[in-house]
Amino acid sequence: MPSKNAKAAAKDSGKASTASDNKNAGKGKGSKNEKKDDAGKLKPATAINARHILCEKHSKKEDALKKLTEGAKFDDVAREFSEDKARQGGSLGWKTRGSLDAAFEKAAYELEPSTTANPKYVEVKTGHGYHIIMVEGRR
């Protein structure tokens, strides 16, 4: 019987140390996981530095998307395909919340910042046409 108790005590002590390790690890891991969650979810921004490619026709937007997927720089594709006044690489500059079309703004504020050489973009249709949007900065 003492051997069973010794085994039980060893298990309990193992559990106790594991539990305390888990508590310590949980605190450390919890904060790391929270940071990952924060990194995965964008912090609220009041302004974004956006670029877009605006096409009236779906087929032209698809041609622009094809160029982007082939590795072309966003600003070069914008100069070639965009049909709006912001033809300088599609730059719209810093835009605050409420200053853009609602559908455009919702899509743009959900994007994480990227570069023109390696853009993360989203497509959205508004009353102005088909947009391919990327965000360069948030504040």
Side-chain angles (χ1 to χ4, degrees):
M1 297 262 178
S3 63
K4 284 184 182 178
N5 287 342
K7 285 181 184 177
K11 281 186 179 180
D12 287 343
S13 69
K15 286 181 183 176
S17 67
T18 304
S20 67
D21 288 346
N22 284 344
K23 283 182 184 177
N24 292 339
K27 288 179 184 173
K29 283 184 181 177
S31 62
K32 285 181 186 174
N33 286 342
E34 288 171 19
K35 287 179 185 173
K36 284 182 184 177
D37 289 345
D38 288 345
K41 294 178 185 175
L42 294 170
K43 293 180 182 177
T46 57
I48 55 170
N49 187 4
R51 287 182 183 265
H52 79 144
I53 300 167
L54 172 64
C55 302
E56 287 183 22
K57 297 190 183 233
H58 185 266
S59 59
K60 189 166 185 179
K61 179 208 49 131
E62 290 298 317
D63 291 342
L65 280 173
K66 184 178 179 197
K67 285 260 192 179
L68 288 171
T69 57
E70 291 171 353
K73 289 179 66 175
F74 192 94
D75 52 342
D76 293 339
V77 177
R79 280 187 199 95
E80 183 179 344
F81 288 93
S82 194
E83 300 171 358
D84 70 338
K85 295 175 186 172
R87 294 195 63 118
Q88 297 179 344
S91 179
L92 298 174
W94 286 95
K95 297 293 181 183
T96 57
R97 282 194 188 271
S99 66
L100 297 165
D101 177 273
F104 185 105
E105 185 173 291
K106 182 180 184 316
Y109 273 87
E110 290 174 357
L111 275 173
E112 62 183 87
S114 60
T115 63
T116 57
N118 190 17
K120 294 179 182 175
Y121 50 85
V122 66
E123 305 170 48
V124 66
K125 184 174 186 328
T126 69
H128 301 284
Y130 298 92
H131 301 265
I132 304 169
I133 308 165
M134 72 161 286
V135 172
E136 290 185 292
R138 300 170 61 86
R139 60 179 181 200

